[in-house]
Amino acid sequence: MATRYPDDSLTLHTDAYEVNMVQTYFEEGVADRHAVFELYFRDLPFHNGYAVFAGLERLIDYIKQLRFSETDLAYLASLNQYSPAFLAYLHDFKFTGTIRAAREGDLVFNNEPLVQVEGTLVDCQLVETALLNIVNYQTLIATKAARIRSAAGNDGILEFGTRRAQELDAAIWGTRAAYIGGFDATSNMRAGKIFGIPVSGTHAHSLVQTYRNDYDAFMAYARSHKDCVFLVDTYDTLRSGVPNAIRVAREMGDQINFLGVRIDSGDMAYISKRVREQLDEAGFPDAKIYASNDLDEKTITNLKMQGAKIDVWGVGTKLITAFDQPALGAVYKLVSVENERGKMVDTIKLSSNAEKVTTPGKKQVWRITKRADGKSEGDYVALTDERPDHEDKLHMFHPSYTYINKDVTDFNARPILVDIFDQGQQVYEIPELADTKAFAAEQLASLWDEYKRDLNPQIYPVDLSQKLWDHKQHIIEEVHGYVSSLKFDN
Ligand SMILES: Nc1ncnc2c1ncn2[C@@H]1O[C@H](COP(=O)(O)OP(=O)(O)OP(=O)(O)O)[C@@H](O)[C@H]1O
Ligand SMILES: O=P(O)(O)OC[C@H]1O[C@H](OP(=O)(O)OP(=O)(O)O)[C@H](O)[C@@H]1O
Ligand SMILES: O=C(O)c1cccnc1
């Protein structure tokens, strides 16, 4: 059985190798060396043209509580791997780092930093696992939600996924991410309570089964609720469900708001058209048709193509589990570290796969938009001492295929990474969730449709500044020089 600790913290929500490395840094006297790590993903999820960043609120909560509690330390001591001096050091540990991140709801792309952690090696290393855990999941769900929003157009979309989510936390934070990405409401009451997300719900088949017929069930529901959406597919949608919903709506009249009916099985294009006819003929043209049953952006697009008369889409499993791509795959890499002489040295991880070679140095991402229409030109990743927003002309080129290039003038450059913590102090206030959602919608509106289409979107340019590109080539050459100078006896 799980042990409940009165002072449990999230600090040990980390991989053992982080603590192991931290012990090495401590024992070797380099724990306080300054370092910069950056979190980014290499491939956009779902073959999408963009991702919607989410996770910042939880990231802030996590950093704010980051202390080793007495039982955390007692547990580490019980492993007999960590020295008393190291445990005493952890006892006094306090996060004093600086964190910059994209704002929730902002669009982010592959191969650019979404979160940057600057601090001691210990600060940076300890937070790696939790930061990846939080950002990977929430960004994935916000992006999936944005795809579903795009398929649904202006129709209502409701998050129904809690029962199918990967446990409780995923349901709660996933529904928040879904709301940022464009969902209108959730069925999860606690998410409503905690985050103020609008809550919406109909009823289950069990209600109809309990009363053993549609009429009695809908009548019972109508007597106990003002707003009514009846689930009409328990026995026979067209012959029993809808006719009985209409009968109850007529009998109850003004005593209820007959909002509509929900269908949860069968051929939803065919059935919804017939249901629409039945409701219209009965004098309920404003009653809406809700649909649910393993929906996602593909089924919704397809159903719309077939002329389905569905007004509100309830989406569960395929949203909350990011069914077609269950992991984002963001990584967290060291880009700069203080050497033994106190100088910051930019670092690289080489790979035979060009995509996997990291980009050294502490960076800022600049979103370049045309001044005239606010539309996106691409992202420009630069070293932090560069100020592309002060330039009149930017030369933007593909970092691998440099012949793909353009000169951009009359542009605005917006820094994507904003200060969240400054030397351990929170300097960023999380906006109201509704504002974050509106911000996401605004950002999406400024992106060309070519990057937003569901199938084979155009690849959004994420370019390196000339200075950063040169710097990277220089460091690659330095490392190659070092490797080829090595001599082995065997
Ligand atoms: N007209 C349609 N075009 C494309 N997909 C559809 C259409 N109607 C329903 N679907 C989707 O097809 C799948 C059908 O699921 P399933 O085979 O479980 O049938 P069902 O009618 O829901 O049966 P059950 O009663 O077992 O739930 C669902 O994902 C549903 O969203
Ligand atoms: O299909 P999803 O996208 O995951 O949406 C959530 C599903 O959860 C409910 O079904 P469930 O069979 O769990 O309960 P019910 O008895 O109310 O139909 C609901 O009717 C949806 O079909
Ligand atoms: O309110 C609903 O209709 C609902 C909620 C959760 C899951 N399925 C349906």
Side-chain angles (χ1 to χ4, degrees), residues 454-466:
D454 163 50
L455 192 64
N456 302 323
Q458 282 287 336
I459 295 169
Y460 180 88
V462 177
D463 297 345
L464 306 186
S465 72
Q466 186 71 54

Side-chain angles (χ1 to χ4, degrees), residues 205 233 264-271 291-296 298-300 302-303 306 308 310 313 318:
H205 294 107
D233 74 338
D264 190 48
S265 57
D267 181 330
M268 292 207 261
Y270 173 80
I271 292 177
S292 54
N293 187 14
D294 265 336
L295 295 172
D296 64 5
K298 292 188 186 69
T299 340
I300 292 174
N302 211 280
L303 283 165
Q306 296 168 53
I310 294 168
W313 309 83
K318 290 190 172 164

Side-chain angles (χ1 to χ4, degrees), residues 158-164 187 200-204 262 264 292:
L158 310 177
E159 190 283 312
F160 279 178
T162 295
R163 63 192 58 203
R164 307 275 148 64
S187 61
S200 171
T202 71
H203 67 79
R262 175 164 73 96
D264 190 48
S292 54

Side-chain angles (χ1 to χ4, degrees), residues 2-10 65 69-72 74:
T3 309
R4 315 276 166 203
Y5 295 101
D7 63 348
D8 194 29
S9 79
L10 289 178
Q65 64 81 58
S69 73
E70 291 305 325
T71 56
D72 290 340

Side-chain angles (χ1 to χ4, degrees), residues 151-307:
N154 293 325
D155 297 349
I157 44 175
L158 310 177
E159 190 283 312
F160 279 178
T162 295
R163 63 192 58 203
R164 307 275 148 64
Q166 328 291 26
E167 262 275 10
L168 307 190
D169 263 14
I172 285 290
W173 291 96
T175 197
R176 182 179 177 280
Y179 186 64
I180 292 173
F183 271 61
D184 295 303
T186 176
S187 61
N188 187 307
M189 283 282 194
R190 188 161 162 259
K193 177 185 167 198
I194 298 175
F195 301 123
I197 300 174
V199 165
S200 171
T202 71
H203 67 79
H205 294 107
S206 53
L207 183 92
V208 181
Q209 290 168 271
T210 298
Y211 288 89
R212 294 193 301 283
N213 70 73
D214 289 308
Y215 176 76
D216 288 343
F218 299 163
M219 200 39 127
Y221 193 86
R223 278 196 298 269
S224 49
H225 294 272
K226 183 81 181 165
D227 292 339
C228 294
V229 178
F230 301 123
L231 174 61
V232 288
D233 74 338
T234 307
Y235 302 122
D236 187 318
T237 303
L238 301 178
R239 287 153 64 101
S240 171
V242 179
N244 278 305
I246 290 169
R247 189 176 154 205
V248 170
R250 283 189 174 139
E251 288 175 13
M252 293 299 281
D254 287 347
Q255 295 172 68
I256 63 167
N257 295 327
F258 176 46
L259 299 179
V261 299
R262 175 164 73 96
I263 49 182
D264 190 48
S265 57
D267 181 330
M268 292 207 261
Y270 173 80
I271 292 177
S272 65
K273 289 179 207 173
R274 300 291 85 77
V275 172
R276 185 72 271 157
E277 286 165 5
Q278 290 181 325
L279 292 170
D280 289 351
E281 278 164 22
F284 293 105
D286 296 332
K288 301 225 177 315
I289 300 178
Y290 293 59
S292 54
N293 187 14
D294 265 336
L295 295 172
D296 64 5
E297 65 275 34
K298 292 188 186 69
T299 340
I300 292 174
T301 302
N302 211 280
L303 283 165
K304 278 175 159 291
M305 232 171 56
Q306 296 168 53

